[in-house]
């Protein structure tokens, strides 16, 4: 077993990961997607980081139990307790039920993560299937004096939790002026947050459950505390998410969980930086300035070229997305695959002792980068050094690449991506031609092209706002 060191947001230090529980299994909880829309490639960057983390923990010789939630209850348009219900807005727009929306985007999420070779967490849990547990959780917080009922909602009293704000380094009083927490006259303190709503602000709030406080629905933060403790127990090794979750969501999770348990809950907090657009803007679902994996596929990119791009940056550094960057990544990725094929077809020269020793030291160096806070860009640079090396025979290069690919998961040994094969220039051109026909309201032509694509094994589904969803037979 080798030690793995990771940056802990809570302490602001790089620390060795030491499993807390006596069985030695690392318990990891990652905040999952809100399923009222597609996960965008920014969200997917965070899930790629978490996948590299999971694979690196396994590389360090540790066992892991990895849990992720699906936020399929109503979700507000802001992190605070205000705004519209995003799920309801999507249901109205797409003329579907709220649960149909949730399942549709959950399925899409797993289709995308699969295409990116992101391993499915050991347990995936839906918020709507844990409402009774959440109610019990809130009842206990109330019994312990951490929650209060005011004007139909149950609030968490942050003044009762002395460490509130520690993760983000914010003082509780500073939050008074914080832009992200909206004024609510029912709150005793500005940083208090809702645990259970019964006074729905939304017309036709659909997903509601009975509780001792009345019919209603849970606040967003309570789902992660409840499901994490239910599936991973009282002591968590790692909790992950994107940096946007630090200040409100994760701060609130800590307050609830530690108030509920009466002791420290999670040891290490890891946060992935944003994928940004060129103009410094965060890619965001609610702003609507986002790109999905389907868009990249439609443009002819392999999903794994995007994974390659993500690996070129460190997870704690922002990554700027542009098609020029993606083109460069796709070209390097293809070269890497071609090199693999070239080395694998080489009849082979004998492996000298020196070459064997060199190979072993390079593997150690590679592991060293990953096990020291997931330095993927350095590990990738080393992979290129191996590819270009004059001191290693092809067989050891292939062995090194296979070993690296256990973590990179770029399918280096596979000939060509199936999706990419399906999206030939001809098919991309047909999709584009159909888009134009639809813009010109030439429905007959649009249908003809759809039938033609269908014959070629490509299924096109039209979405509102002129978007299309592409799948393969
Ligand atoms: P959501 O579905 O919006 O709750 O987000 C799912 C995950 O993606 C969370 O861990 C977020 O912190 C993360 N995330 C949101 N926006 C971005 C972005 N632009 N870049 C990277 N990660 C993001
Ligand atoms: Zn969460």
């Amino acid at each position: 077993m080798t030690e793995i060191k990771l940056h802990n947001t809570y302490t602001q230090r790089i620390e060795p990961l030491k499993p807390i529980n006596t069985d030695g299994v690392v318990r990891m909880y990652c905040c999952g997607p809100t399923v009222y829309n597609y996960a965008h490639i920014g969200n997917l960057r965070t899930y790629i980081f978490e996948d590299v983390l999971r694979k690196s923990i396994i590389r360090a010789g540790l066992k892991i139990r990895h849990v992720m939630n699906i936020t399929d209850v109503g979700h507000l348009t802001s992190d605070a307790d205000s705004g519209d219900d995003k799920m309801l807005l999507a249901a109205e727009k797409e003329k579907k039920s709220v649960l149909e929306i949730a399942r549709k985007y959950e399925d899409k999420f797993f289709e995308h993560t699969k295409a990116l070779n992101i391993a499915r967490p050991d347990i995936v849990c839906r918020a709507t299937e844990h409402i009774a547990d959440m109610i019990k959780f809130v009842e206990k917080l109330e019994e312990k004096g951490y929650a209060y009922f005011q004007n139909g909602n149950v609030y968490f009293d942050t003044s009762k939790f002395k460490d509130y704000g520690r993760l983000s380094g914010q003082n509780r009083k500073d939050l008074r002026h914080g832009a992200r927490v909206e004024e609510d006259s029912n709150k005793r303190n500005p940083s208090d947050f809702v645990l259970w709503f019964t006074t729905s602000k939304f017309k036709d709030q659909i997903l509601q459950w009975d509780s001792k406080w009345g019919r209603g629905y849970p606040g967003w933060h309570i789902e992660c505390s409840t499901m994490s403790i239910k599936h991973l127990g009282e002591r968590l090794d790692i909790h992950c998410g994107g940096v946007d979750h630090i200040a409100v969501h994760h701060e609130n999770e800590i307050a609830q969980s530690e108030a509920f348990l009466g002791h420290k809950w999670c040891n290490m907090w890891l946060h992935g930086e944003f994928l940004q657009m060129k103009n410094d803007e965060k890619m965001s679902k609610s702003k609507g300035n986002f790109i999905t994996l389907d868009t990249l596929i439609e443009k002819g990119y392999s999903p794994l070229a995007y994974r390659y791009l993500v690996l070129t940056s460190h997870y704690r550094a922002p990554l700027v997305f542009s098609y020029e960057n993606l083109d460069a990544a796709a070209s390097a990725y293809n070269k890497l695959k071609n090199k693999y094929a070239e080395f694998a077809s080489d009849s082979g020269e004998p492996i000298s002792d020196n070459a064997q020793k060199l190979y072993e030291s390079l593997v150690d160096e590679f592991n060293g980068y990953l096990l020291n806070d997931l330095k993927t860009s350095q590990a990738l640079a080393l992979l290129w050094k191996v590819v270009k090396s004059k001191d290693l025979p092809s067989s050891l290069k292939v062995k090194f690449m296979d070993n690296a690919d256990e973590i990179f998961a770029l399918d280096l040994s596979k000939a060509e991506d199936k999706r990419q094969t399906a999206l030939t220039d001809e098919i991309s051109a047909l999709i584009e031609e159909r888009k134009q026909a639809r813009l010109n309201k030439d429905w007959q032509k649009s249908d003809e092209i759809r039938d033609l694509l269908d014959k070629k094994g490509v299924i096109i589904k039209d979405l509102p706002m002129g978007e299309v969803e592409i799948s393969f037979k």
Side-chain angles (χ1 to χ4, degrees), residues 29-32 69 71 220-221 223-225 239-240 245 249-250 253:
Y29 184 90
C30 300
C31 292
N69 64 305
T71 301
W220 170 36
H221 318 293
E223 69 174 84
C224 288
S225 293
H239 195 310
C240 303
H245 283 350
H249 182 49
H250 289 167
E253 278 191 44

Coordinates of all heavy atoms in Angstrom, one line a residue, residues 29-32 69 71 220-221 223-225 239-240 245 249-250 253, ligand 2:
Y29 N -18.3 10.4 -0.4 CA -19.6 10.9 -0.9 C -19.4 12.1 -1.8 O -18.7 13.0 -1.5 CB -20.5 11.4 0.3 CG -21.9 11.8 0.0 CD1 -22.9 10.9 -0.1 CD2 -22.1 13.1 -0.4 CE1 -24.2 11.2 -0.4 CE2 -23.4 13.5 -0.8 CZ -24.4 12.6 -0.8 OH -25.7 12.9 -1.1
C30 N -20.1 12.0 -3.0 CA -19.9 13.0 -4.0 C -21.3 13.6 -4.3 O -22.3 12.8 -4.5 CB -19.3 12.5 -5.3 SG -17.7 11.8 -5.0
C31 N -21.5 14.9 -4.2 CA -22.8 15.5 -4.6 C -23.1 15.2 -6.0 O -22.3 15.5 -6.9 CB -22.7 17.0 -4.4 SG -22.6 17.5 -2.6
G32 N -24.3 14.7 -6.2 CA -24.6 14.3 -7.6 C -25.4 15.4 -8.3 O -25.5 16.5 -7.9
N69 N -25.6 11.0 -4.8 CA -27.0 11.3 -4.8 C -27.5 11.8 -6.1 O -26.7 12.3 -7.0 CB -27.4 12.3 -3.7 CG -26.8 13.6 -4.0 OD1 -25.6 13.8 -4.2 ND2 -27.7 14.6 -4.1
T71 N -30.3 14.5 -7.2 CA -31.2 15.6 -6.7 C -32.5 15.6 -7.6 O -32.5 16.3 -8.6 CB -30.5 16.9 -6.6 OG1 -29.4 16.8 -5.7 CG2 -31.5 18.0 -6.0
W220 N -32.7 21.6 0.1 CA -31.8 20.9 -0.7 C -30.7 20.2 0.1 O -30.3 19.0 -0.1 CB -31.2 21.8 -1.7 CG -30.0 21.3 -2.5 CD1 -29.8 20.0 -2.9 CD2 -28.8 22.1 -2.9 NE1 -28.6 19.9 -3.6 CE2 -28.0 21.2 -3.6 CE3 -28.5 23.4 -2.7 CZ2 -26.8 21.6 -4.1 CZ3 -27.2 23.8 -3.3 CH2 -26.4 22.9 -4.0
H221 N -30.1 21.0 1.1 CA -28.9 20.5 1.8 C -29.1 19.2 2.6 O -28.3 18.4 2.7 CB -28.4 21.6 2.7 CG -28.4 22.9 2.1 ND1 -27.6 23.2 1.0 CD2 -29.2 24.0 2.3 CE1 -27.9 24.5 0.6 NE2 -28.8 25.0 1.4
E223 N -30.7 16.6 2.0 CA -30.6 15.2 1.3 C -29.2 14.6 1.4 O -29.1 13.4 1.6 CB -31.1 15.3 -0.1 CG -30.3 16.1 -1.0 CD -30.8 16.0 -2.5 OE1 -31.6 16.8 -2.9 OE2 -30.2 15.2 -3.2
C224 N -28.2 15.5 1.2 CA -26.9 14.9 1.2 C -26.4 14.4 2.6 O -25.8 13.3 2.7 CB -25.9 15.9 0.7 SG -26.0 16.2 -1.1
S225 N -26.8 15.1 3.7 CA -26.4 14.7 5.0 C -27.1 13.4 5.3 O -26.5 12.4 5.8 CB -26.8 15.7 6.1 OG -26.1 16.9 5.9
H239 N -15.5 14.0 1.2 CA -16.7 14.5 0.6 C -16.3 15.4 -0.5 O -15.4 16.3 -0.3 CB -17.5 15.3 1.7 CG -18.9 15.6 1.2 ND1 -19.2 16.2 0.0 CD2 -20.1 15.5 1.9 CE1 -20.5 16.3 0.0 NE2 -21.1 15.9 1.1
C240 N -16.9 15.3 -1.7 CA -16.4 16.0 -2.9 C -17.6 16.9 -3.5 O -18.7 16.6 -3.3 CB -16.0 15.1 -4.0 SG -14.8 14.0 -3.6
H245 N -20.0 24.7 -4.3 CA -20.7 24.2 -3.1 C -20.1 24.5 -1.8 O -20.7 24.2 -0.8 CB -20.8 22.6 -3.3 CG -21.8 22.2 -4.3 ND1 -22.7 23.1 -4.9 CD2 -22.1 21.0 -4.9 CE1 -23.5 22.4 -5.7 NE2 -23.1 21.2 -5.8
H249 N -23.7 25.1 0.4 CA -24.2 23.8 0.5 C -23.4 22.9 1.5 O -23.9 22.3 2.4 CB -24.2 23.1 -0.9 CG -24.7 21.8 -1.0 ND1 -25.9 21.4 -0.4 CD2 -24.2 20.6 -1.5 CE1 -26.1 20.1 -0.6 NE2 -25.1 19.6 -1.3
H250 N -22.1 22.9 1.3 CA -21.2 22.1 2.2 C -21.2 22.6 3.6 O -21.1 21.8 4.6 CB -19.9 21.8 1.5 CG -20.0 21.0 0.3 ND1 -18.9 20.8 -0.6 CD2 -21.0 20.2 -0.1 CE1 -19.3 20.0 -1.5 NE2 -20.6 19.6 -1.3
E253 N -24.3 21.4 5.1 CA -24.2 19.9 5.3 C -23.4 19.6 6.6 O -23.8 18.7 7.4 CB -23.5 19.2 4.2 CG -24.4 18.9 3.0 CD -23.7 18.0 2.0 OE1 -23.0 17.0 2.4 OE2 -23.7 18.3 0.8
Ligands
LIG2 ZN1 -24.5 17.7 -1.7

